[in-house]
Amino acid sequence: MSTTVIAIDGPSGSGKSSTAKAIALRANWDYLDTGALYRAVTWIALNQNIDNPRELVRACEEIGITFVGDPENPRIFAGESDISEVIRSLRITDQVSIYAQMSEVREYLLHMQREMIHLAPHGIVVEGRDIGTVVAPEAHLKVFLYADLDQRTQRREREIAELESVADSQVIEDSLTSRDEMDTKRKLSPLRMAEDALEIDSTNLDLDEVVDVVWSWLKERNLLGLPKVAVIGRPNVGKSTLVNRIIGRREAIVEDTPGVTRDRVKYEAEWNGRRFLLIDTGGWEVKPEGISEKITAGSEIAIAESDVILFVVDAQVGALDEDEALLQLLRRSGKSVILVANKVDGNAEETLAHGLWNLGLGEPHFVSALHGRGAGDLMDLLIKTLPEVGSEPMDDGFRRIALVGRPNVGKSSLLNALAGEDRVLVDDVAGTTRDPVDELINFGGSTWRFIDTAGIRRRSHQDSGTDYYASLRTATALARAEVAVIVFDASEPLTEQDIRIVTMAEEAGRALVLVMNKWDMVDEDRQQQLAKEMDRQLERYPWAQRVNLSAKTGWHRDRLAPALRTSIASWEKRVPTSKLNAFLGALISATPPPVRGGKQPKIRFATQAAIMPPKFVIFASDWVEASYRRFIERRLREEFGFEGSPVEVALKIKERDKD
C-alpha cells in the first residue's frame, strides 16, 4: 500500500507541530516531528559531551533513537529514556542548530526519516525543516507555515512554561532570532520554501482555522483516500449485478451459474460527487471445499480491509443458515454494515423481504440490482455512511503493469510472489482468474499497480459467457497499462496464443517485458529448444526485455523491477531534434535510401512526434521503402536504446517548396 505524505515546513514557533498532529489525528495517519529527532541528537551530544560529528552518529546508533508517531501522544526515546519533554527545553533549543548543520548528523537522520515515512501504512504528516525540499520532495502536499516573530515568541513561551515553569519572553525571542539567522546563513537554508509549497500565514489564525485550510487542500487534491465498500454475500445472491448497477456499466462478470466471481475485484465508483472503491467478492460459504476455500478466504479479506460492507441477501429466498453464519462474521468485524435485500422486483417480493428484519441488522434496504429499483436510495444511504477519510490512497502516480498470458502460465502466482502474500486466487485449474485484479505492490524499491488478468485463449471471439467477457476485460486492462508483462510457461513450447498476445501488446503500444516463468522446471535441453523457438517465433521483438524466473520459488524475481524501469524509461524517451537529425544525416550519407522507380527519395529531416511509445516522423520527397524504415528503426535503437519499448517510424511525403 502506498503512503500519502504531507510535508509541513516553517520556522520555529509557526505552529507546525500542532497543525501536523491535528491533521494526522483527524485523518488517522502517522505523525513525524523531524525536529524532535534533531533535538534528540542534541540531547545525546550534550549529555555525552560529544563534539565530533562521526562520534556523535556512532553514539546515536549505539543508544538508539525511537520516535513513536501517535499524533495523540507522540513520544521520543533515547535508548530506554523518554526524552519527549526535556528536549523542548531552552537549553536544547539554543544548541540544536549547531548539530543540525553537521552533514554526518543530517545524513544519519535523513535515512531514519525516510524509513519512517516508508513504513507508514496509510498516510503520514511530517513536519520540521527541509521536509518539502530534502526529506520528502515527492510529498503529495507541501505546506509552508509561518508567523511574525511576536506571535512565534508567545507560542514558544507557552510551550516552555509548561515544561520549566519559567519563561523569559526576551530570552525566547532572542533565541528564535538567533536560530533564524543561523539557519538563513547556511548554504542551503532549511527555511527555504519548496517551489510547489502552499503558504499559510498563521499569525492571526487559531489552530482550527489553520487545520481547516490544510484540510480543504487535502480534499481539493483528493488526498484523503478512497473509502472501501465490500459487497458480501453467499453465492448467487446478485452481488456482481449490484456492482454493475453501482458503477454504471457491465464490468463485473454476471451469469446464472453460482461462483462466477472468484477473486475480490476492485472498481472505482462515484455517486453525487463522492468517489469510493467497490470490492466485488466471490460467494462466502460456511463449509467451503476445493477452490471455494480460497474464494471464501478472499471474501473475508475484503471484509477486513473495507470501511463499509453491503451485505447482500436474496429477498426471494430469504435468510438461509449461510446468511446467519456470515452475519456473525460481519458483526465480529466491527464494520458498518448495510443490509441489502436484493431481487425485490415488486410489491410481492417486498412483502417477503420484510422478514429480513429478523436478522437484527435493522432496516433491510430493498433493491432490484437487475432493474435498478431502489438503487438510488441505497446509494444515498451508502454515501452518508462512508467515512471522511478512506483507507485506499487516492491514485495515482504508480506505474501500471498488466500481467498477461495464456491460462495457467503462473500470472497470479507471480503477482503473489512479488507481493510476498496471497493477493489473488491461485489454483491448478486453468482459467481461475476471470476479472482483472488491481493490486498495489511494493518491490524493488518502488510501488507498482499490477493488473492480474484472465488468460487469453486461442479463439476468445468464439467463446461465450464467462470466458468471452473475461477476454474483453483483459484487453481493457492492457489498454490501461503502461507495461505489458507477458508471462510464458518456459517448460512448454511457445504456442500460437503466446505469439498473439505479444502482438496484441505491441499493437496497443505498450512497453514489453517477457517473463519466462517456471524456470525451475527447465533443463539444459529445454533452454536450447526455447532459444530456437524465440529466435524463430519472436524474431520481431529482439528489443523486448526478458526475465527468466520462477514465481513458485522466487528465483530471480528481483530482476523484474530493473526490467520494468528500463522499459518505462525507453517508452518515455525523447530524442532532441538536433541529435536526431545529426544521427539521420550521418546514416543517410553512409547508407542512402534505395532507388524507387528510377528516382532516389530524399530524406529532408525527422522529428519525434510522440512518446509512450516513441514515434518518429520522417519527411521525405518521395516514398521510402518499408525495409529502409525498419533499417532506420534498428539504427535508432542501436544509437539511442529504446530497450523494452516499441518504436514507430512513420513517413510523411513533403515536396520541395516551389519558388
Side-chain angles (χ1 to χ4, degrees):
M1 168 113 17
S2 66
T3 301
T4 302
V5 182
I6 311 303
I8 302 182
D9 285 293
S12 297
S14 58
K16 302 188 304 294
S17 178
S18 299
T19 301
K21 284 187 284 189
I23 293 291
L25 195 62
R26 185 170 175 180
N28 196 27
W29 290 342
D30 286 359
Y31 161 71
L32 174 57
D33 176 3
T34 62
L37 300 177
Y38 281 98
R39 289 170 177 269
V41 171
T42 304
W43 182 85
I44 291 173
L46 296 178
N47 271 27
Q48 301 275 336
N49 195 25
I50 301 174
D51 292 325
N52 183 280
R54 293 184 180 179
E55 291 181 10
L56 178 55
V57 170
R58 281 197 296 270
C60 292
E61 290 174 338
E62 291 174 2
I63 294 170
I65 297 174
T66 306
F67 185 83
V68 180
D70 178 1
E72 198 163 16
N73 185 30
R75 314 301 296 172
I76 189 164
F77 295 83
E80 299 295 326
S81 302
D82 186 340
I83 58 173
S84 307
E85 277 74 37
V86 69
I87 62 171
R88 300 294 173 184
S89 67
L90 199 56
R91 170 174 173 258
I92 300 295
T93 301
D94 283 342
Q95 300 293 316
V96 67
S97 287
I98 297 174
Y99 298 97
Q101 295 184 63
M102 297 177 176
S103 59
E104 294 87 348
V105 170
R106 295 182 64 78
E107 184 177 349
Y108 164 68
L109 290 182
L110 182 61
H111 175 76
M112 182 184 297
Q113 293 158 21
R114 287 176 174 168
E115 185 67 17
M116 291 178 182
I117 292 171
H118 175 71
L119 293 175
H122 300 298
I124 186 168
V125 186
V126 190
E127 57 97 351
R129 301 177 178 207
D130 285 340
I131 310 305
T133 53
V134 178
V135 178
E138 303 300 323
H140 299 84
L141 176 65
K142 300 174 186 177
V143 177
F144 192 85
L145 191 62
Y146 62 93
D148 65 29
L149 185 58
D150 288 342
Q151 185 61 242
R152 291 164 55 203
T153 300
Q154 292 177 30
R155 293 170 181 171
R156 185 65 63 173
E157 182 180 354
R158 290 193 295 268
E159 181 181 291
I160 293 176
E162 292 178 1
L163 301 173
E164 301 182 354
S165 300
V166 178
D168 188 308
S169 298
Q170 189 58 52
V171 172
I172 294 170
E173 182 176 325
D174 291 344
S175 175
L176 290 173
T177 303
S178 174
R179 188 175 179 191
D180 287 350
E181 290 178 353
M182 186 180 298
D183 289 337
T184 303
K185 291 177 181 178
R186 284 167 53 185
K187 185 176 180 180
L188 291 176
S189 171
L191 295 182
R192 71 192 190 283
M193 183 176 68
E195 292 182 359
D196 52 346
L198 302 177
E199 298 180 67
I200 300 179
D201 182 351
S202 67
T203 303
N204 299 312
L205 300 177
D206 61 27
L207 177 60
D208 289 341
E209 289 171 327
V210 173
V211 169
D212 284 344
V213 171
V214 177
W215 198 261
S216 68
W217 289 338
L218 291 171
K219 293 178 72 174
E220 287 172 5
R221 298 188 174 203
N222 291 323
L223 293 175
L224 293 177
L226 292 175
K228 294 181 184 177
V229 179
V231 182
I232 302 294
R234 58 181 177 79
N236 214 32
V237 294
K239 298 184 296 298
S240 295
T241 305
L242 180 61
V243 166
N244 286 336
R245 175 64 57 184
I246 292 174
I247 64 178
R249 60 189 184 275
R250 182 166 179 166
E251 190 78 17
I253 300 172
V254 177
E255 281 189 8
D256 291 336
T257 307
V260 169
T261 302
R262 295 178 173 179
D263 284 300
R264 56 190 191 281
V265 187
K266 299 175 183 177
Y267 304 98
E268 195 171 306
E270 183 176 346
W271 183 259
N272 286 342
R274 186 72 196 277
R275 295 167 61 197
F276 56 95
L277 209 62
L278 196 65
I279 309 175
D280 189 15
T281 65
W284 185 89
E285 299 182 35
V286 179
K287 297 179 179 179
E289 296 180 356
I291 196 171
S292 295
E293 293 183 16
K294 298 177 182 178
I295 296 173
T296 295
S299 297
E300 294 176 0
I301 292 172
I303 292 171
E305 68 176 334
S306 65
D307 298 298
V308 179
I309 296 168
L310 294 179
F311 176 30
V312 184
V313 179
D314 186 339
Q316 295 183 6
V317 176
L320 304 182
D321 290 342
E322 288 90 340
D323 296 306
E324 297 277 1
L326 178 54
L327 177 59
Q328 299 305 314
L329 177 65
L330 297 178
R331 283 185 171 138
R332 289 196 299 270
S333 73
K335 303 296 176 70
S336 298
V337 180
I338 297 175
L339 176 59
V340 180
N342 191 27
K343 304 184 183 180
V344 179
D345 300 321
N347 293 332
E349 291 85 1
E350 190 170 315
T351 301
L352 292 173
H354 279 290
L356 297 178
W357 278 92
N358 295 330
L359 288 173
L361 277 178
E363 180 183 1
H365 300 278
F366 305 146
V367 170
S368 172
L370 184 61
H371 301 110
R373 186 175 189 259
D377 292 338
L378 174 64
M379 293 306 300
D380 289 341
L381 174 64
L382 175 61
I383 296 304
K384 291 179 182 178
T385 310
L386 293 178
E388 186 177 22
V389 179
S391 54
E392 178 79 6
M394 297 295 289
D395 207 31
D396 208 20
F398 302 118
R399 296 300 189 174
R400 299 182 301 280
I401 316 298
L403 286 175
V404 293
R406 57 186 174 84
N408 214 32
V409 293
K411 300 183 297 296
S412 298
S413 296
L414 176 58
L415 189 146
N416 288 338
L418 295 173
E421 60 180 325
D422 290 343
R423 294 285 189 92
V424 293
L425 189 62
V426 175
D427 197 89
D428 290 336
V429 177
T432 299
T433 301
R434 290 175 173 175
D435 297 276
V437 179
D438 279 29
E439 289 290 345
L440 288 177
I441 297 177
N442 190 294
F443 79 98
S446 301
T447 300
W448 314 81
R449 181 173 293 279
F450 272 84
I451 310 167
D452 184 26
T453 64
I456 301 176
R457 299 175 185 274
R458 184 182 306 174
R459 293 179 293 274
S460 59
H461 62 282
Q462 295 179 3
D463 293 336
S464 59
T466 298
D467 290 329
Y468 172 73
Y469 286 108
S471 179
L472 289 181
R473 283 155 184 77
T474 297
T476 301
L478 193 58
R480 286 175 49 209
E482 296 170 293
V483 184
V485 173
I486 303 176
V487 184
F488 301 82
D489 184 342
S491 66
E492 297 181 356
L494 298 184
T495 66
E496 177 187 336
Q497 296 105 301
D498 290 322
I499 311 309
R500 188 169 67 86
I501 293 166
V502 178
T503 302
M504 185 178 175
E506 183 197 25
E507 290 175 349
R510 304 305 97 180
L512 283 183
V513 175
L514 309 181
V515 169
M516 297 297 161
N517 190 26
K518 306 185 183 181
W519 202 257
D520 53 316
M521 301 170 60
V522 177
D523 56 23
E524 188 173 342
D525 290 341
R526 175 58 193 148
Q527 289 183 29
Q528 295 176 359
Q529 183 63 33
L530 178 61
K532 293 178 182 178
E533 292 172 7
M534 294 192 68
D535 288 342
R536 183 175 63 254
Q537 300 185 60
L538 294 174
E539 60 178 353
R540 290 176 51 198
Y541 310 99
W543 46 265
Q545 293 283 285
R546 176 180 165 184
V547 178
N548 302 328
L549 56 76
S550 170
K552 184 177 181 180
T553 66
W555 183 80
H556 276 181
R557 65 182 177 187
D558 58 321
R559 296 187 177 183
L560 183 56
L564 291 173
R565 291 192 181 97
T566 298
S567 297
I568 290 171
S570 297
W571 197 60
E572 295 179 333
K573 181 177 292 186
R574 184 177 292 279
V575 179
T577 302
S578 58
K579 287 187 177 181
L580 177 61
N581 284 291
F583 153 79
L584 191 61
L587 179 65
I588 295 170
S589 296
T591 312
V595 175
R596 185 174 185 270
K599 186 177 180 182
Q600 186 176 63
K602 293 182 179 180
I603 295 178
R604 305 195 185 285
F605 64 94
T607 186
Q608 184 171 354
I611 59 173
M612 300 186 299
K615 178 179 180 180
F616 298 91
V617 178
I618 295 185
F619 293 85
S621 63
D622 206 340
W623 181 257
V624 176
E625 297 291 346
S627 59
Y628 192 77
R629 298 202 301 273
R630 289 194 295 271
F631 166 71
I632 293 176
E633 179 190 335
R634 288 196 301 273
R635 294 301 301 274
L636 274 170
R637 291 186 180 279
E638 292 173 7
E639 181 72 17
F640 300 110
F642 299 110
E643 298 91 347
S645 174
V647 171
E648 181 182 351
V649 177
L651 175 69
K652 188 174 182 65
I653 298 176
K654 183 179 178 67
E655 297 288 350
R656 182 181 295 276
D657 295 334
K658 296 181 179 179
D659 295 332

